[in-house]
Amino acid sequence: MPRLTRRCLGGSLLMLLGAGSLAACGDEADEPQRKIVSVNQPAQLPKWLTVKDVIEPSLWLRSREVGRLALPSDPEVDRLRRAMHQATLRFFEEPRMIANRTAQTADMLAEAHQPERYVDIMTGMVDVADATVSKKAYGDMVQHYLNLRKEGMDRTAALDSLTASYKAENSQK
């Protein structure tokens, strides 16, 4: 790689976005080798979390909600973490799948002009799960919730209906 001289760099550190190369401006042997710092463009958030993604599911949800990478110290990320912890205690799915199902549910509700925040969806499902006697499938529960919402129920009525159905199921056991 050609050497870049102070004269060529103008005394400042070059930061390049993406991949590229620089041609040498001079070849002065007494100048030390200069390093080129490459700055990658911020990675876009994945549409869905896969097993290969390393981002924390709660941070991913908040980032998705605000449309950019959120700070881990964001108070809403902490609320999502607490809700995620509660959900993992009550459902079979791992946090990654709970996050994906929550995002999918929010997308479908938004398309139906009934938007809900991710944390509200998760805490609603956690509250419904508290009416059950055993762990449930989060995906099944949010699908039942979506069906009730599509039938015209508001959030409170749909959650109350789900809770009542699980309580009735418990009494039959």
Side-chain angles (χ1 to χ4, degrees):
M1 178 170 179
R3 267 193 216 162
L4 300 179
T5 66
R6 175 164 297 195
R7 202 174 24 153
C8 178
L9 296 175
S12 64
L13 178 64
L14 286 180
M15 298 187 93
L16 302 174
L17 290 176
S21 62
L22 293 177
C25 295
D27 191 17
E28 298 175 15
D30 61 335
E31 288 288 330
Q33 184 82 21
R34 304 275 187 217
K35 291 184 181 179
I36 297 173
V37 177
S38 175
V39 178
N40 294 326
Q41 293 180 348
Q44 291 186 3
L45 290 172
K47 182 165 174 77
W48 306 110
L49 289 180
T50 67
V51 293
K52 295 178 183 178
D53 293 314
V54 294
I55 189 169
E56 174 190 3
S58 298
L59 181 61
W60 174 76
L61 280 171
R62 180 61 179 159
S63 298
R64 196 176 191 272
E65 194 167 47
V66 298
R68 61 176 165 64
L69 188 57
L71 295 174
S73 60
D74 180 334
E76 290 302 311
V77 173
D78 192 47
R79 287 186 67 213
L80 284 161
R81 282 183 187 122
R82 289 192 307 268
M84 184 66 72
H85 174 72
Q86 293 301 314
T88 57
L89 296 174
R90 291 162 176 83
F91 299 104
F92 295 118
E93 292 92 339
E94 296 293 319
R96 176 183 63 82
M97 287 307 297
I98 292 171
N100 283 336
R101 295 294 174 252
T102 300
Q104 182 181 41
T105 301
D107 288 351
M108 294 173 110
L109 288 169
E111 287 172 9
H113 306 289
Q114 301 171 333
E116 285 189 37
R117 294 177 51 204
Y118 299 135
V119 71
D120 294 335
I121 293 168
M122 266 198 291
T123 57
M125 296 306 108
V126 165
D127 290 344
V128 171
D130 284 343
T132 67
V133 293
S134 60
K135 278 190 169 188
K136 297 291 181 195
Y138 187 79
D140 289 348
M141 192 175 285
V142 294
Q143 186 60 54
H144 290 146
Y145 178 69
L146 282 168
N147 291 342
L148 294 171
R149 295 298 306 271
K150 285 180 184 178
E151 290 173 9
M153 288 188 185
D154 66 12
R155 173 183 163 73
T156 302
L159 292 173
D160 288 346
S161 178
L162 280 174
T163 301
S165 69
Y166 283 111
K167 283 183 178 179
E169 181 184 300
N170 293 339
S171 65
Q172 295 174 0
K173 290 183 180 183

